Amino acid sequence: LHGCGVEAPRWLKEALPPEAGDTKGGPRGCIMGRLETPMSSSTAGAVSRACVAAVVLALVWPGAPHLPGAPAPPPASAGRDEKPRAMLERATAELVLIEAYVTDRRDRPIKGLQASDFVLSVDGAVKPIAAVEYREAAGGGAPPAPEAAAAVPAGRSLPRRFVLFFDDETSASSGLALARQAAEKFLAGGLLPDDQIALAAYRKRLEILHDFTTDREALRRILHDGARDPRRVSTFVLESRDRTEELRLLLRSGADSSIRIRQAASLLDSFGALEVRHLRDVLRAVTTLVDSLSAWPGYKAVVFLGDGIPENPAQEHLDRANLVPTPQELVEAIQKHNLSLEINALVQSAAGGGVTMHSVQTAGLAAGTLGETLAHSRRGNSLESLALNTGGVSSSSNDLLKGLVEAEQGSRSYYVISYAPEGPPDGRYHTVRLRVKGGGVRVRWRMGFTRFLPSEAHRRVLQAAHLLPDLYASLQMELSAVPGPEEGTERIADLVVHVPPGRILFLPREGRSTATLEVGLVALDVAGHETLRVARTIHIALDHEAAYPGDLGLNIFTRMRFSPSGQTITAVLSDSATGAVGASRSSFPAAASRPGGVLGLSLYSLAEKSVWVELREKADADAPPEAEPYSVGPALKATFLEGEPLACGFRSRGAREGGAPLRLLIRAGDRTVRELEVPPGRSDHGTATLPLPVDDLAAGDYLLVVQDPDSGGAAELGSLPFSIRPREAGAPRDGPAGR
């Protein structure tokens, strides 16, 4: 079941045959994933709250590869005259799942309602309800360890996920400081043990302060430090008030009224153009955040903490100036500074991805003139509209903690209304009205859904993964930049994307195990200018004599040329078979002048084999897809499990004759925990490869350093950071379109 929202309704699970949930295959050797497992993200975002069930049946034929645990293939003599061949069948059923929060007049949840108790209208027409199921979040026991925060065992309800988003760009710093203090208290209690929280903020750019975790203390430390960080303080509110005062002084001047009005119109136009740019950036940041959450299964919500987003920032200046009646020239001057399109786009993104928006207005209750109160109200109206349209709750009181608690408690119990839409996805937003028969009840529901086209949904997810790779860790992929020599004004580097075993789905086809992947690489220099953009589709077809695909990792590599300045590189990979999307970001520092330094310093796992595939440029993009050449060898990566054997390799820039051998140091912070010499026998034409003694090193972050003892002060010829993680951290994460 494509999990762009909640899990599959229980009635749908029970309607399937028992073997439908058996990952080891049915009686005819079919390969079938569990219903709880989200699949293709290209269609996962096509409807709100989940919805697309795609079951892939690969019938076993003579000579086909045999998957572990699957029934043995039938004998070749099956009495058929025709040549056996593979059969691939896709059956797709689409459901729109709409959450409905039903309470009595004292805000207590009402249970026991049936489909006959609801009346559903879509685009103004009454529609049949396929099913109704009551959901209730229930957590128990101690929170799981942070490393296993996103792991969800099979058959267990998915955890709720909340992103606390702080608008540091256009909100008063005093209110945001109080919001962070309220969030600290919120994290200290009230949440369910398995609720996962992420922190995000916008100040000039969107930043993930911490990805999803149940480690409340780690989140509270980040909030505590952020409250005292002067870099988050914005002068937007103070400057906006200064602009209003400038407008007041102009309107009160003794100049001719017609001249004053023309000058005021020009001021309002410039004020609106300046402020709408900042507010539009905030809305785009929230939209990107919503798009990045669309592929996550289960309940997910964004809690917006900030002063609010006015639909027209120039209108705020007229409100605060208290100009009544307002000349028509001024009304016309502000019309083009309207953010309604951006606000509606955010609503549609949330509707298409099944994301709930909650809002907490950090400015609190307004005190001042009638114009000040009206301007404050306009800012809050947009937040209330976002919450209302996505089934969330909004708060504008001085008690910010109360607003956070209401957002959390308002999602603990709800009904899932299942509706089967007509026709294929159309990319349009569809309005929803829901009514409960009888009286004495309050109903809150998602007031619309967007059936994104599969290509549009896929594009949004890939774009969000490029911008927010921290939220796409389900594939546990890594990006390494292996530095090479300089050529003129350029430097050469090999970029290597590593995916651990078992993350990519290989399907049997024509006697081989095949996978189709989309890979994208984007590099930015220190000034934020794009220096590299590569996007390729690669096809891999493995011979079964090599190894079982589930035991092999994947290394995708390519050679690139960069300027000597530092680079930030982001890699995104999408598995076409499952729709799983992973992303990773790596910083490539500026080239350092190191005479006699080493090239290609890298680490390999001696316990993990990987398929090595080069990301090549296609000569003819329209040519039929062909399987890429590949080889199998040790996995190049930077994160290892405790006790995992590894080796390092590098090449000296120049030949070394005589002198002391090179030294390798492993450092943990400022402390050297290992030191060894590079034996002469390990060097061949300047290339050295040797195992590293790390079997007994504890989990942590380390630095591998190559030293030349013959140089003054034992000069460093190269260094490479790597990490060792606890064994239990190797379990797969339940991330966007995860396993």
Side-chain angles (χ1 to χ4, degrees), residues 656-663 677-678 707-710:
R656 289 177 51 83
E657 297 181 0
L662 297 179
R663 276 203 304 257
E677 293 182 350
V678 179
Q707 276 189 349
D708 184 3
D710 289 338

Side-chain angles (χ1 to χ4, degrees), residues 370-389:
L370 178 61
E372 293 281 352
T373 303
L374 182 58
H376 175 273
S377 176
R378 289 186 190 276
R379 276 207 156 207
N381 287 344
S382 296
L383 295 181
E384 292 179 5
S385 175
L386 286 173
L388 177 66
N389 281 280

Side-chain angles (χ1 to χ4, degrees), residues 410-667:
S411 62
R412 288 205 172 190
S413 59
Y414 53 91
Y415 288 89
V416 178
I417 311 297
S418 301
Y419 159 66
E422 302 170 357
D426 51 16
R428 293 175 47 240
Y429 179 78
H430 300 269
T431 60
V432 171
R433 288 186 59 84
L434 194 65
R435 181 171 60 87
V436 177
K437 299 176 182 178
V441 297
R442 297 175 178 174
V443 187
R444 172 170 52 90
W445 70 94
R446 183 180 300 279
M447 303 188 72
F449 61 89
T450 305
R451 300 178 65 198
F452 285 129
L453 300 175
S455 58
E456 171 67 10
H458 190 54
R459 183 193 66 80
R460 286 172 173 264
V461 171
L462 293 182
Q463 181 177 357
H466 271 289
L467 296 174
L468 300 175
D470 291 343
L471 295 181
Y472 285 80
S474 62
L475 294 182
Q476 292 188 338
M477 58 182 280
E478 294 180 343
L479 173 64
S480 300
V482 182
E486 292 84 18
E487 288 189 357
T489 60
E490 296 180 320
R491 62 192 301 200
I492 298 175
D494 287 340
L495 303 182
V496 183
V497 176
H498 173 258
V499 183
R503 307 294 170 175
I504 303 300
L505 177 61
F506 284 84
L507 297 175
R509 183 172 300 153
E510 297 180 357
R512 308 178 80 183
S513 294
T514 64
T516 301
L517 309 173
E518 295 179 63
V519 184
L521 292 168
V522 174
L524 304 176
D525 61 16
V526 291
H529 299 140
E530 187 175 293
T531 59
L532 169 70
R533 177 178 290 267
V534 177
R536 301 280 187 273
T537 298
I538 61 175
H539 303 272
I540 305 173
L542 302 181
D543 295 323
H544 294 287
E545 290 74 13
Y548 175 59
D551 297 332
L552 296 174
L554 178 64
N555 279 114
I556 302 173
F557 66 97
T558 186
R559 179 157 293 179
M560 294 295 175
R561 296 175 181 270
F562 298 101
S563 64
S565 64
Q567 305 282 328
T568 299
I569 309 169
T570 305
V572 174
L573 183 145
S574 173
D575 184 353
S576 299
T578 64
V581 176
S584 180
R585 179 169 290 163
S586 179
S587 295
F588 194 20
S593 178
R594 290 178 175 173
V598 297
L599 302 174
L601 182 59
S602 49
L603 289 172
Y604 298 86
S605 170
L606 299 180
E608 177 189 327
K609 295 293 186 181
S610 280
V611 177
W612 284 79
V613 178
E614 184 177 3
L615 190 63
R616 302 178 301 167
E617 185 172 358
K618 302 294 185 182
D620 184 2
D622 298 327
E626 295 182 357
E628 303 287 343
Y630 72 90
S631 61
V632 177
L636 184 151
K637 56 183 183 176
T639 302
F640 305 86
L641 297 179
E642 286 179 313
E644 184 175 0
L646 60 137
C648 79
F650 61 87
R651 183 166 60 87
S652 300
R653 288 179 181 266
R656 289 177 51 83
E657 297 181 0
L662 297 179
R663 276 203 304 257
L664 294 181
L665 305 180
I666 299 178
R667 292 174 178 165

Side-chain angles (χ1 to χ4, degrees), residues 4 219 294 329-330 399 467 495 621 648 676 690 697:
C4 56
L219 297 170
S294 64
E329 293 92 331
L330 299 186
D399 189 348
L467 296 174
L495 303 182
C648 79
L676 65 152
L690 70 160
L697 289 184

